[in-house]
Amino acid sequence: MKKDNISDAVIRRLPRYYRQLTDLQNRGIIRISSHSLGQEMGITASQIRQDFSCFGEFGQQGYGYNVEELKAEIGHILGVDNDHHIILVGVGNLGHALLKNFAFAQNGFTVGAAFDISPAIIGTQINGIPVYSMNELDAYVRQHHVDVVVLTVPQSVAQSTADQLIASGIQGFWNFTNIELASSRPDVKFENIHFADSLLTLSYRISNH
Amino acid sequence: MKKDNISDAVIRRLPRYYRQLTDLQNRGIIRISSHSLGQEMGITASQIRQDFSCFGEFGQQGYGYNVEELKAEIGHILGVDNDHHIILVGVGNLGHALLKNFAFAQNGFTVGAAFDISPAIIGTQINGIPVYSMNELDAYVRQHHVDVVVLTVPQSVAQSTADQLIASGIQGFWNFTNIELASSRPDVKFENIHFADSLLTLSYRISNH
């Protein structure tokens, strides 16, 4: 029942629903109306019903949503239950922080390995994840099915590293380099974390209130 | 000439324009039409003209925009030239990575100090920024004008640390804790970096293409 051409705005709300439902579940809430869910999230009930209608029928008119079931449905749409295989390329401060702190498994991702050029960390493990030399990257990607690369390399090598990985068959990039990466291949997806965009949004809000 | 009630979507596009114009400037481009700017950013020329009309008149019909002037105008709207004072609370892996790598100054922010509970790092400097004890936080905030706190503390103390800072007069939070922080005071602004939302958006795209 999934519609085609679901808008970017709807897709970006799905993880927010998932997070909110996880929070409701942790608070022991069994059932919630679209009205209450909207109030918690600062969006309207009709927006929620419209968003969900892109993916089929969730819940029953007048009875609200079962929190656990809805979370499972949205998690399934997001691919949380797919067990994606991810590797991290560039173990600097940020790469290190992500390997140490980010709950990859909770979001359906298994981190297989990390790669760097620094002899000081090649051969070590971070949070149980082995760090290999960049020289081993191509071979690793060819031997393992890798869905996504976390790209935390320096800006100067961001695009060339992405090109190398795309040539090896990688189609998903979680890009922390603050460089707009490009590929002529439409099947390659880039998802960017732009720290500066976020801080400048806050700057606007505190400068203009 | 600024309109009231500018939508969140427009505000969130401003940093993207700023980033794109910085990139154009670095590439030596002097002047750009709304059509070309839109192509670079994947949005329509009419969207761009509509966004800019919220803030007054930029550029001249038929002549396009002067890149340097437009960048300065949008930077001014974003408050980049305000020299905001920022501190970082919680110097774990992520806090450390931000202090080391993030270009605060380039975005109009001066980092005055960082705070942590770990005796091992209290009294040290990271990238020239002194790390003080959490016991000194209240006194520091009362003695200095602090616009924004980067919150990189563990989740378990996120809300309590925010409450303490709000009581000391802080009104802006750049929140990396992945906890939805709340305040009853409407003058307090939270800007959240949700890593998981971003990764799950990518998960959706690679699961559903």
Side-chain angles (χ1 to χ4, degrees):
Chain A
M1 275 267 296
K2 192 164 83 72
K3 287 186 194 162
D4 292 335
N5 295 321
I6 294 166
S7 81
D8 193 61
V10 175
I11 292 165
R12 292 207 168 268
R13 274 195 292 273
L14 290 178
R16 287 184 56 203
Y17 289 123
Y18 188 74
R19 183 154 44 81
Q20 187 67 44
L21 290 161
T22 303
D23 184 49
L24 290 168
Q25 198 179 27
N26 292 341
R27 281 150 56 194
I29 293 167
I30 306 290
R31 189 166 279 282
I32 192 162
S33 66
S34 50
H35 181 76
S36 303
L37 183 58
Q39 276 194 320
E40 299 248 0
M41 295 179 64
I43 54 181
T44 65
S46 84
Q47 178 74 74
I48 290 176
R49 287 190 297 262
Q50 201 179 315
D51 286 354
F52 291 174
S53 74
C54 299
F55 302 98
E57 289 293 322
F58 302 154
Q60 210 181 333
Q61 187 74 38
Y63 285 85
Y65 304 107
N66 177 300
V67 169
E68 194 181 336
E69 282 173 24
L70 184 59
K71 184 192 160 190
E73 294 236 43
I74 293 178
H76 180 69
I77 292 165
L78 285 169
V80 169
D81 43 10
N82 278 3
D83 191 24
H84 292 116
H85 190 138
I86 199 166
I87 61 174
L88 183 141
V89 178
V91 191
N93 292 301
L94 181 61
H96 202 270
L98 288 168
L99 290 174
K100 281 272 223 183
N101 299 354
F102 185 72
F104 285 99
Q106 200 177 301
N107 294 288
F109 286 80
T110 301
V111 187
F115 295 85
D116 202 272
I117 56 165
S118 164
I121 55 166
I122 293 167
T124 65
Q125 294 206 342
I126 297 170
N127 212 6
I129 296 147
V131 181
Y132 300 129
S133 161
M134 284 296 282
N135 298 330
E136 302 174 62
L137 182 55
D138 280 341
Y140 184 96
V141 169
R142 293 221 172 78
Q143 281 158 30
H144 299 79
H145 175 82
V146 178
D147 297 289
V148 170
V149 170
V150 188
L151 203 63
T152 43
V153 295
Q155 294 200 342
S156 55
V157 296
Q159 183 68 56
S160 60
T161 307
D163 291 343
Q164 179 193 343
L165 286 159
I166 292 165
S168 303
I170 299 293
Q171 299 190 342
F173 288 88
W174 198 20
N175 174 25
F176 285 81
T177 66
N178 209 32
I179 295 274
E180 290 284 349
L181 299 173
S183 168
S184 56
R185 290 173 45 177
D187 53 341
V188 175
K189 314 286 179 195
F190 299 102
E191 168 68 23
N192 305 305
I193 293 265
H194 283 302
F195 288 129
D197 287 17
S198 170
L199 184 58
L200 288 179
T201 303
L202 182 59
S203 172
Y204 174 85
R205 295 220 160 94
I206 59 172
S207 303
N208 292 273
H209 67 259
Chain B
M1 273 268 297
K2 191 165 83 72
K3 286 187 194 161
D4 293 334
N5 296 320
I6 295 165
S7 81
D8 193 61
V10 175
I11 293 166
R12 292 205 169 269
R13 273 194 293 274
L14 290 178
R16 287 184 56 202
Y17 289 123
Y18 188 73
R19 183 153 44 81
Q20 188 67 44
L21 289 161
T22 304
D23 184 49
L24 290 167
Q25 199 178 28
N26 292 342
R27 280 150 56 193
I29 294 167
I30 307 289
R31 189 167 279 281
I32 191 162
S33 66
S34 49
H35 180 76
S36 303
L37 184 58
Q39 276 194 320
E40 298 249 0
M41 296 178 63
I43 53 183
T44 65
S46 84
Q47 178 75 75
I48 290 175
R49 287 191 296 263
Q50 200 179 316
D51 286 354
F52 291 173
S53 74
C54 298
F55 302 97
E57 289 293 323
F58 303 155
Q60 210 181 332
Q61 187 73 41
Y63 285 85
Y65 303 106
N66 177 300
V67 169
E68 194 181 337
E69 282 173 22
L70 184 59
K71 184 192 160 192
E73 293 235 44
I74 292 178
H76 181 68
I77 293 165
L78 286 169
V80 169
D81 44 9
N82 278 2
D83 191 25
H84 291 117
H85 189 138
I86 199 167
I87 61 173
L88 182 141
V89 178
V91 191
N93 292 301
L94 181 61
H96 202 270
L98 288 168
L99 290 174
K100 281 273 223 185
N101 299 352
F102 184 72
F104 285 99
Q106 202 177 300
N107 294 288
F109 286 80
T110 302
V111 187
F115 296 85
D116 202 89
I117 56 166
S118 163
I121 56 165
I122 293 168
T124 66
Q125 294 206 342
I126 297 169
N127 213 3
I129 296 148
V131 182
Y132 299 129
S133 161
M134 284 295 281
N135 298 330
E136 301 174 62
L137 181 55
D138 281 340
Y140 184 94
V141 170
R142 292 218 174 80
Q143 281 158 28
H144 299 77
H145 175 83
V146 177
D147 297 290
V148 170
V149 170
V150 188
L151 203 62
T152 43
V153 295
Q155 293 200 340
S156 55
V157 296
Q159 184 68 58
S160 60
T161 306
D163 291 342
Q164 178 193 343
L165 286 159
I166 292 166
S168 304
I170 299 294
Q171 298 190 342
F173 288 88
W174 198 21
N175 174 25
F176 286 81
T177 66
N178 210 31
I179 295 274
E180 290 283 350
L181 299 173
S183 168
S184 55
R185 290 173 43 176
D187 53 340
V188 175
K189 313 286 178 194
F190 298 103
E191 169 68 22
N192 306 305
I193 294 265
H194 283 301
F195 288 128
D197 287 16
S198 170
L199 184 58
L200 288 178
T201 302
L202 183 58
S203 172
Y204 174 86
R205 295 221 160 92
I206 59 172
S207 302
N208 293 273
H209 68 259

